[in-house]
Amino acid sequence: MLASVEQVDKQYRVTLERIHNKLLKQTYSHLVEQGPLPIDGNEVTKAILLRLRAFYKSQKCVKDFFNKEKIIKDGKGGSKGQSSTGAYFFEETLAFYLKALIETHKLGLKVELRTTIDKKKKSIRPDISIWKGDALLASIECKTQFGYSRKNWEAEFCQKEKKLQSKYPNARQFLVVMTKENWSGLENRQ
């Protein structure tokens, strides 16, 4: 007797659900059990990059399976396999390690993803925000690359920072960029 479509697909569905329902939490717990995350060296950076590499390899498998020309990025044709889901995965990965750092160093802070800072119209919603109680300490903008924003990213960043500091004057704003693709980086800046 042939299996139903649902039965054939079950292992794939269960594996997808297991990644976040079980493995994400297990990995986090095991990481925290190791003690304070190192803040010197590049051990955490390597872990982040390896996780991102695994994600993009999985996306490439899907791309190859369907013989897709490009992976879609923010509703437009993407380049080099970048995707809007890749941008979210980058944010989630950084937040994961920040949360572990905060917990293992007992800093008493909270990490949030895409939380609206102020409930007003056109409010800032940083990719990652770090809070101590109701006080915003920092926001982090995450970019996989700059793409179309490569020429005006700094003005946009400064505008967000100004808006952020009007409500939380002591909050710091940070920018994390995954790749130098499509822009020259910060090498020539003063």
Side-chain angles (χ1 to χ4, degrees):
M1 180 176 192
L2 293 175
S4 71
V5 173
E6 292 167 0
Q7 290 170 326
V8 171
D9 195 56
K10 183 177 180 180
Q11 183 177 356
Y12 191 81
R13 289 191 322 269
V14 167
T15 301
L16 282 175
E17 289 174 12
R18 188 171 182 262
I19 288 170
H20 286 95
N21 289 338
K22 191 169 183 181
L23 288 178
L24 180 73
K25 294 171 185 170
Q26 280 180 347
T27 302
Y28 182 81
S29 294
H30 189 62
L31 183 63
V32 168
E33 289 168 5
Q34 305 304 304
L37 238 58
I39 55 175
D40 294 327
N42 60 7
E43 185 178 350
V44 174
T45 301
K46 284 181 181 178
I48 289 169
L49 292 173
L50 288 170
R51 186 180 282 197
L52 290 169
R53 179 176 181 249
F55 174 81
Y56 280 108
K57 284 176 91 173
S58 73
Q59 294 298 294
K60 185 177 180 331
C61 288
V62 172
K63 178 184 175 283
D64 292 347
F65 181 79
F66 289 106
N67 196 29
K68 290 169 65 176
E69 247 182 71
K70 296 179 180 179
I71 294 175
I72 301 302
K73 179 184 184 296
D74 299 328
K76 302 173 188 128
S79 65
K80 303 255 183 184
Q82 301 294 322
S83 68
S84 57
T85 54
Y88 292 134
F89 190 79
F90 181 44
E91 294 168 13
E92 293 160 3
T93 300
L94 289 178
F96 176 89
Y97 281 98
L98 280 169
K99 181 178 171 79
L101 177 100
I102 287 168
E103 185 170 339
T104 61
H105 287 266
K106 299 178 182 4
L107 299 177
L109 305 174
K110 178 175 58 168
V111 174
E112 293 186 1
L113 279 167
R114 299 208 163 251
T115 298
T116 302
I117 299 300
D118 195 1
K119 302 300 178 195
K120 294 178 184 173
K121 193 174 183 177
K122 295 189 179 182
S123 180
I124 295 175
R125 182 180 296 142
D127 297 331
I128 300 172
S129 52
I130 301 174
W131 300 81
K132 183 165 189 153
D134 291 337
L136 177 69
L137 298 181
S139 73
I140 303 169
E141 290 299 314
C142 304
K143 302 288 183 197
T144 55
Q145 59 160 311
F146 278 117
Y148 295 113
S149 299
R150 67 182 161 267
K151 290 186 168 85
N152 60 348
W153 69 267
E154 190 169 15
E156 289 175 9
F157 181 81
C158 291
Q159 183 180 20
K160 282 183 180 181
E161 185 173 44
K162 185 178 178 181
K163 195 171 182 181
L164 175 81
Q165 289 186 333
S166 69
K167 174 128 175 111
Y168 295 97
N170 296 322
R172 302 278 313 271
Q173 184 162 338
F174 297 92
L175 175 68
V176 179
V177 185
M178 187 174 81
T179 179
K180 281 188 4 178
E181 185 175 318
N182 287 332
W183 71 299
S184 60
L186 299 173
E187 295 162 351
N188 300 322
R189 299 196 34 89
Q190 301 296 326

